[in-house]
């Protein structure tokens, strides 16, 4: 059975800013769809403007891995939709939060911290250090790779200490950042990956970034296509017991 991915994109910058439109003419979600779609992976997309943000219970129930890109309109994602996504993660759905999704409602809810960071955008390059080369998400990557242009995200990144810290970002202006982090939440895995500012074509022309996201889909997908109960269960004794 193929891995069922849903790519959620806010899809605002691409319609309101010419230089973003040039990079992602049909939206970041479509670029990610083209990056991921193959025999083993089916991809559907959902955007903010759709009814219920395109994330109905039915869509989420048919999603193994949800990818999230948002920036300007985090506040417009209804709390009911955030709740629904949260419980699917608790049930085992994988979640990949990209770039400015650090500030999304769903990421902050899952982390329980502010998820704030330092940032500036001056077009500098970024060097990514792969600090856990044996990790499944890092397969096929060199130990270091460069991104020609990226928005600077710097520490402190106010996240809980990651369960798995696999990549660090370094910027020539002197900042460093935990660029690739994994957490377990309930039965689900959450991966945060920092590259992906909307004015640079890093989801189109950087093969290492594509490798990370392709590997991450396979890593965070649930072990089984199933719903796991997350409520408390009154348990009959497994063995006969006489008090
Ligand atoms: Zn950005």
């Amino acid at each position: 059975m193929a891995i069922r991915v849903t790519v959620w994109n806010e899809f605002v910058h691409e319609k309101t800013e010419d230089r973003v439109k040039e990079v992602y003419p049909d939206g970041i979600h479509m670029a990610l769809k083209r990056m991921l779609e193959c025999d083993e992976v089916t991809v559907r997309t959902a955007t903010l403007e759709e009814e219920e943000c395109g994330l109905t219970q039915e869509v989420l129930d048919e999603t193994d891995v949800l990818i999230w890109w948002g920036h300007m309109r985090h506040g417009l994602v209804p709390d009911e939709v955030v709740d629904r996504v949260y419980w699917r993660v608790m049930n085992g759905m994988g979640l990949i939060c990209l770039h400015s999704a650090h500030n999304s409602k769903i990421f902050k809810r899952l982390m329980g911290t502010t998820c704030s960071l330092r940032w500036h955008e001056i077009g500098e390059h970024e060097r990514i250090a792969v600090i856990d080369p044996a990790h499944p998400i890092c397969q096929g990557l060199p130990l270091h790779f460069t991104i020609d242009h990226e928005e600077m995200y710097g520490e402190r990144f106010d996240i809980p200490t990651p369960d798995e810290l696999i990549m660090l970002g370094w910027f020539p202006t002197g900042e460093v950042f935990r660029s690739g982090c994994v957490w377990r939440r309930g039965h689900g895995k959450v991966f945060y990956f920092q590259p992906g500012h909307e004015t640079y074509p890093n989801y189109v022309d950087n093969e290492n970034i594509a490798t990370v996201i392709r590997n991450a889909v396979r890593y965070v997908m649930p072990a089984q296509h199933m719903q796991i109960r997350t409520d408390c269960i009154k348990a009959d004794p497994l063995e006969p017991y006489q008090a």
Side-chain angles (χ1 to χ4, degrees):
M1 192 168 175
I3 305 172
R4 303 164 301 177
V5 172
T6 300
V7 177
W8 190 87
N9 179 23
E10 180 179 276
F11 197 28
V12 175
H13 286 289
E14 300 95 320
K15 290 183 288 189
T16 57
E17 291 170 49
D18 287 343
R19 64 189 190 132
V20 180
K21 216 178 288 180
E22 274 170 36
V23 179
Y24 295 110
D26 54 355
I28 286 173
H29 52 299
M30 294 307 291
L32 290 168
K33 180 179 161 82
R34 283 189 289 274
M35 173 200 286
L36 295 169
E37 222 160 29
C38 64
D39 290 347
E40 298 158 55
V41 179
T42 59
V43 182
R44 72 199 319 169
T45 63
T47 58
L48 179 66
E49 66 196 353
E50 292 171 43
E51 183 95 16
E52 300 183 58
C53 298
L55 298 176
T56 60
Q57 191 63 55
E58 195 187 354
V59 167
L60 290 174
D61 286 345
E62 292 171 354
T63 298
D64 299 311
V65 178
L66 177 64
I67 297 180
W68 197 279
W69 198 101
H71 181 221
M72 303 167 86
R73 301 280 185 270
H74 294 308
L76 294 186
V77 178
D79 290 340
E80 310 84 80
V81 171
V82 177
D83 258 17
R84 214 178 276 156
V85 174
Y86 175 87
W87 285 109
R88 270 295 287 144
V89 173
M90 291 299 116
N91 273 303
M93 182 183 73
L95 178 68
I96 299 174
C97 289
L98 296 173
H99 188 60
S100 40
H102 75 90
N103 223 6
S104 62
K105 284 185 182 178
I106 184 59
F107 187 65
K108 290 195 286 191
R109 170 132 180 229
L110 285 162
M111 295 297 109
T113 55
T114 67
C115 303
S116 60
L117 46 73
R118 289 159 57 80
W119 66 276
H120 62 224
E121 198 213 335
I122 57 173
E124 69 207 283
H125 67 275
E126 175 180 5
R127 187 181 287 281
I128 299 267
V130 175
I131 61 170
D132 189 355
H135 195 281
I137 295 179
C138 302
Q139 297 315 294
L141 296 175
L143 280 180
H144 297 88
F145 62 91
T146 302
I147 302 167
D148 292 341
H149 303 283
E150 192 41 82
E151 181 178 23
M152 188 286 292
Y153 276 10
E155 299 284 345
R156 173 176 164 81
F157 184 18
D158 188 29
I159 47 173
T161 299
D163 296 324
E164 297 158 21
L165 177 58
I166 62 176
M167 280 174 262
L168 294 179
W170 172 91
F171 295 85
T173 47
E175 306 271 359
V176 293
F177 193 71
R178 287 170 287 175
S179 291
C181 309
V182 178
W183 297 265
R184 298 274 186 148
R185 288 293 181 271
H187 295 283
K189 294 195 197 97
V190 179
F191 178 54
Y192 175 79
F193 188 45
Q194 160 259 317
H197 186 65
E198 66 274 5
T199 56
Y200 309 120
N202 291 330
Y203 295 143
V204 178
D205 67 3
N206 190 306
E207 204 41 48
N208 290 315
I209 288 175
T211 297
V212 170
I213 299 172
R214 288 184 190 124
N215 288 344
V217 163
R218 288 156 179 82
Y219 185 64
V220 304
M221 71 167 283
Q224 305 173 56
H225 296 287
M226 63 179 286
Q227 293 272 344
I228 299 166
R229 277 183 68 173
T230 50
D231 53 337
C232 294
I233 302 164
K234 182 170 188 295
D236 293 330
L238 296 173
E239 300 286 342
Y241 179 75
Q242 193 68 53

